[in-house]
Amino acid sequence: MVSSAHTEVVKRVIRTLKAQCVHRHCFESIQHASRVIGGWISFYNNRRSHQALAMRTPAEAFRLVAKSFQMRQQVGNPLRWLLASDFCKGVLCTVW
């Protein structure tokens, strides 16, 4: 079961995606939307630092946590990936 804290994280990411990307563009086609949104997701994961992650990018934070759990990868792992739809071909990661 998904907790309300997880739901709030997802809602925040979606809200940020809309405010910083979707609402700022007039997409000409699905392909155009896919490129722009995919680019934003790449930026979000790899270049945009996050205050909640000690000013790291999600990719940096994930690598740090994954490295510390490398020997203990198992189903109950606290790492979670929020996968974007196939439409975007991107991955947003959140660590909690």
Side-chain angles (χ1 to χ4, degrees), residues 33-35 37-39 41-42 45 82-92:
S34 181
R35 280 192 313 274
I37 294 169
I41 289 170
S42 179
N45 283 332
L82 170 67
L83 299 175
S85 68
D86 287 340
F87 170 75
C88 293
K89 301 288 189 236
V91 176
L92 293 168

Side-chain angles (χ1 to χ4, degrees), residues 18-75:
K18 287 180 179 179
Q20 293 183 2
C21 181
V22 174
H23 294 167
R24 294 181 180 189
H25 293 85
C26 182
F27 301 113
E28 299 170 6
S29 65
I30 291 195
Q31 293 80 14
H32 180 224
S34 181
R35 280 192 313 274
V36 171
I37 294 169
W40 183 87
I41 289 170
S42 179
F43 168 77
Y44 183 93
N45 283 332
N46 299 295
R47 294 183 34 221
R48 183 181 185 271
S49 58
H50 298 255
Q51 191 172 20
L53 299 175
M55 299 313 293
R56 294 183 184 97
T57 66
E60 291 168 334
F62 178 79
R63 279 191 295 273
L64 287 172
V65 174
K67 188 181 259 186
S68 69
F69 284 94
Q70 192 172 23
M71 301 306 288
R72 300 187 296 152
Q73 293 294 327
Q74 52 188 286
V75 176

